[in-house]
Amino acid sequence: MTERCDLLITNVHAATMDPSMPGAYGAIEDAAVAVTGNKIVWIGPRRELPDTAADQIIDGEGQWLTPGLIDCHTHLVYGGHRAGEFARRLGGESYEEVARAGGGIISTVRATRAASAEDLYKKAEPRLKALMREGVTTVEVKSGYGLDLDTELKQLRVARRLAQHLPVNILTTCLAAHALPPEYDGRADEYIDLVCEQILPAVAREQLADAVDMFCENIAFSVEQCQKVIEAAQKLDLPVKVHAEQLARTGATQMAARAGALSVEHIEYITAEDVAAMAESGTAAVLLPGAFYTLKETRVPPVDKLRAAGVPIALSTDLNPGSCPLASLRLMMNMGCNLFGLTPAEALAGVTRAAARALGVCCSRGVLRAGLRADMVLWPMETPDQLAYELGALNPAQVFWGGFGRGIDATAG
């Protein structure tokens, strides 16, 4: 009996990234992939393909197919820029010194509050399209440059609107506990009350966020204050993520693990005890080498300990106007290898299955497997190692969002 599908891709090598498959990439040489609707319905060696008829057949020409890339930590909706601060840091000022002098996050808050929703959309769209052109099919977008009810909602609504107009999948995160707004100077506890009692409930009512994040750091909020945010999020049935231990060890990772957080992010200063807590709770690590590079940090996350403990290691851009204005997930793969010691296979896992784990969507994407979304990228390369190795000239031949394929230039319009 002939099976029917919407899309059939043959003569392709599949880097499935499925951990149940042998090899670092879970590779299937000379594979075939069948898609119906927005899901993969069959994948395996081409010689084992059942008798199948398809509305569209694509000859992969011996290229490689990977899962769609996932950027699991971005701040891409914001106003203004901070190029001047970049010059100041090159002149010797630290990120913390710039922030305490009124720059940093607060300078972006001022610009984002002043910008209209339309302006925010127009500025965010090219950043998002830059990621899409590299094969990114799912992006997390955080708020956190409003620090008041109206602007936090404005950022999240813009992120939702981007998903309505472009084929990319967008997951939104409320990061209202990102920094202390100037009008609350000296009253951090009161601002946290505002976040917990007004901002998060309003975000939940409009269903504008898929998760809640917070910046637990000496220049931001304490463990005790972030614990209140976690409890408020849990009451609203929103999963949590935590910016943790980027600049110093605060105990944020232990707090996040106790709460069953989806992920902890940055984590340059975590300890062996923190890694053990993450492994026990199933919390993913999100490494952000672009911020490490831009800020000229020297403390490297303990990748060996994370690897040994079996903690999922995700990579992301941290795309933002201050510490990482770099809209390239492929560059982060290269940096993850060169700066943090990941293997090329770990880097690809970090922007596919581990990134999906960090966003709580590993049941729907992140690997090539029957039953999961057909978010896929076709690459003109001889080995998947090239994805972390070769930048600039190696671009996707085709990107599939839920089985819907577009040439790489389709995102430019």
Side-chain angles (χ1 to χ4, degrees):
M1 180 176 176
T2 301
E3 302 288 339
R4 290 206 61 86
C5 66
D6 297 331
L7 168 67
L8 180 63
I9 305 174
T10 65
N11 187 22
V12 71
H13 306 305
T16 70
M17 304 315 296
D18 188 337
S20 68
M21 300 283 288
Y25 292 105
I28 304 173
E29 304 262 346
D30 192 13
V33 182
V35 175
T36 295
N38 65 0
K39 292 185 178 180
I40 297 170
V41 294
W42 193 92
I43 180 169
R46 180 164 49 156
R47 66 180 180 276
E48 298 177 11
L49 177 69
D51 185 18
T52 302
D55 295 337
Q56 180 185 14
I57 299 176
I58 293 177
D59 181 349
E61 300 179 347
Q63 300 178 98
W64 278 88
L65 192 72
T66 71
L69 307 189
I70 299 172
D71 198 349
C72 63
H73 179 134
T74 85
H75 307 252
L76 66 80
V77 176
Y78 60 83
H81 65 84
R82 280 149 60 186
E85 293 180 18
F86 175 62
R88 289 169 62 184
R89 290 198 306 271
L90 291 175
E93 293 184 63
S94 71
Y95 180 84
E96 186 168 351
E97 287 170 338
V98 170
R100 293 193 183 281
I105 293 168
I106 295 302
S107 66
T108 299
V109 169
R110 289 191 290 267
T112 305
R113 287 179 174 181
S116 68
E118 186 63 28
D119 185 52
L120 291 178
Y121 182 93
K122 289 179 178 179
K123 295 293 178 61
E125 187 178 40
R127 300 171 194 137
L128 182 57
K129 286 182 175 180
L131 296 174
M132 293 171 67
R133 283 191 289 270
E134 288 194 338
V136 174
T137 56
T138 296
V139 179
E140 185 245 26
V141 178
K142 302 180 191 290
S143 64
Y145 293 127
L147 310 186
D148 61 28
L149 176 59
D150 291 343
T151 315
E152 289 291 307
L153 294 176
K154 178 172 65 175
Q155 279 191 274
L156 293 168
R157 288 171 185 149
V158 168
R160 293 290 203 217
R161 182 183 164 202
L162 286 164
Q164 293 170 358
H165 291 272
L166 295 167
V168 68
N169 304 289
I170 292 180
L171 297 168
T172 52
T173 297
C174 182
L175 180 58
H178 195 194
L180 188 64
E183 63 268 25
Y184 278 86
D185 187 30
R187 299 183 293 134
D189 287 341
E190 290 182 39
Y191 178 66
I192 291 297
D193 288 342
L194 175 73
V195 171
C196 296
E197 296 170 10
Q198 295 187 39
I199 296 177
L200 292 185
V203 166
R205 280 194 300 272
E206 286 196 41
Q207 298 183 330
L208 287 173
D210 301 295
V212 172
D213 198 352
M214 59 217 73
F215 191 19
C216 192
E217 199 63 66
N218 294 330
I219 61 172
F221 299 104
S222 68
V223 167
E224 293 75 19
Q225 290 163 341
C226 290
Q227 181 62 42
K228 291 182 179 179
V229 178
I230 287 175
E231 291 169 1
Q234 290 173 332
K235 289 178 182 177
L236 296 166
D237 292 324
L238 288 169
V240 296
K241 306 161 70 66
V242 182
H243 281 60
E245 266 95 29
Q246 178 186 9
L247 305 175
R249 186 170 188 270
T250 62
T253 299
Q254 295 280 339
M255 172 193 67
R258 287 193 300 270
L262 290 174
S263 62
V264 287
E265 321 203 349
H266 289 289
I267 60 169
E268 281 89 335
Y269 284 83
I270 60 171
T271 64
E273 291 77 17
D274 297 328
V275 172
M278 293 170 65
E280 183 176 353
S281 66
T283 299
V286 178
L287 306 187
L288 302 164
F292 176 93
Y293 164 83
T294 301
L295 298 180
K296 297 184 177 180
E297 297 289 348
T298 56
R299 178 76 172 241
V300 177
V303 168
D304 288 345
K305 291 184 175 66
L306 292 166
R307 184 187 288 132
V311 174
I313 303 173
L315 280 172
S316 190
T317 60
D318 193 16
L319 173 56
N320 73 76
S323 63
C324 193
L326 306 173
S328 174
L329 192 56
R330 292 279 311 288
L331 176 59
M332 299 307 123
M333 293 174 66
N334 182 273
M335 286 183 175
C337 294
N338 282 317
L339 300 180
F340 291 167
L342 297 179
T343 68
E346 286 173 330
L348 184 55
V351 298
T352 54
R353 69 169 184 256
R357 178 78 171 269
L359 292 176
V361 295
C362 55
C363 61
S364 65
R365 69 202 72 187
V367 301
L368 300 180
R369 181 192 298 153
L372 301 194
R373 278 185 60 88
D375 291 342
M376 307 176 294
V377 188
L378 188 63
W379 303 92
M381 61 189 181
E382 298 179 11
T383 168
D385 286 348
Q386 289 175 252
L387 288 175
Y389 156 76
E390 186 176 340
L391 299 174
L394 176 59
N395 296 307
Q398 196 159 9
V399 182
F400 301 87
W401 288 275
F404 182 72
R406 294 190 179 189
I408 200 58
D409 293 331
T411 60

